[in-house]
Amino acid sequence: MRLIILDRDGVINFDSESFIKSPREWIPIPGSLEAIARLNQAGYRVVVATNQSGVARGKFDMVTLNAIHQKMHDSAQKAGGEIDAIFFCPHAADEDCDCRKPKAGMLNAIARRLNVSLKGVPAVGDSLRDLQAGFVVGCVPYLVLTGKGEKTLEKGGLPPGTQTFDNLAAVVDHLLLMPTAAGSDAGASKESRKKQ
């Protein structure tokens, strides 16, 4: 099974400093839904792992979050794609849960649910915490420059082997040229040196 783990805000859809609080505010980044469809066509299962502390902060409730995710599912399907599952952390940072990225609880839950190892699985995010959560469970970290990505790249401190691309569509272009889902360490280090 080929698997890829995507962050949501800033990777699939435009991010907002004031949170995505309604389905109307959920707007896909051009090319992202088509990229998910291309992944599916290549045999990838697409799973989303997203911190949604807006729930704990009272910015929106679970009914609204579910409606946002339903819009994301529907939009992906209209583009010919399928999101296999969405895992989310509804907690605020001060709740010290184990599921909020950069902790790995959410990714470990994905591994348990799908009964797979995450070693070599691409994990795509726009923030350092996305990359760190993936890296500690053996994922290959991919930074996109959409969302918070440019600021994340400027700050540095990325996990070893992080590869940087303009957007999700560019990550998918890269993955679909690779011979295996896990990819090649040589290619990863070369790309990492080129981009950082």
Side-chain angles (χ1 to χ4, degrees):
M1 179 187 69
R2 286 184 164 195
L3 174 67
I4 186 169
I5 300 171
L6 308 180
D7 180 45
R8 194 192 83 177
D9 302 330
V11 175
I12 300 173
N13 57 280
F14 289 104
D15 202 358
S16 169
E17 292 295 332
S18 56
F19 297 91
I20 306 300
K21 302 180 296 298
S22 71
R24 182 179 53 82
E25 294 178 4
W26 187 90
I27 300 168
I29 294 169
S32 65
L33 299 178
E34 293 79 6
I36 289 171
R38 289 192 291 132
L39 285 165
N40 296 149
Q41 290 158 12
Y44 279 89
R45 293 178 75 178
V46 177
V47 174
V48 172
T50 176
N51 287 349
Q52 293 297 324
S53 66
V55 174
R57 296 166 186 248
K59 302 288 185 181
F60 49 88
D61 58 19
M62 287 300 302
V63 172
T64 302
L65 182 61
N66 288 336
I68 292 168
H69 287 163
Q70 189 60 53
K71 179 180 180 182
M72 181 166 67
H73 276 299
D74 293 345
S75 300
Q77 287 171 354
K78 285 177 186 171
E82 186 72 45
I83 295 169
D84 196 82
I86 301 170
F87 289 72
F88 62 89
C89 169
H91 307 114
D94 59 6
E95 292 183 67
D96 197 33
C97 62
D98 73 339
C99 53
R100 180 176 168 82
K101 295 181 284 186
K103 292 185 181 178
M106 209 173 349
L107 281 85
N108 286 327
I110 292 169
R112 286 194 303 273
R113 176 84 60 86
L114 299 181
N115 195 27
V116 296
S117 165
L118 297 183
K119 184 170 176 57
V121 168
V124 185
D126 67 320
S127 70
L128 182 58
R129 63 188 175 206
D130 299 326
L131 307 178
Q132 289 171 330
F135 181 75
V136 297
V137 295
C139 292
V140 177
Y142 288 83
L143 174 67
V144 289
L145 299 182
T146 46
K148 301 179 181 74
E150 290 191 5
K151 288 182 180 177
T152 301
L153 183 62
E154 286 172 15
K155 286 181 182 174
L158 304 179
T162 298
Q163 301 179 61
T164 303
F165 292 90
D166 288 341
N167 50 40
L168 179 57
V171 172
V172 172
D173 288 343
H174 171 75
L175 289 174
L176 298 188
L177 289 173
M178 294 167 60
T180 66
S184 124
D185 290 339
S189 58
K190 179 181 175 185
E191 185 67 26
S192 184
R193 284 196 301 271
K194 184 175 79 175
K195 295 288 187 178
Q196 287 183 17

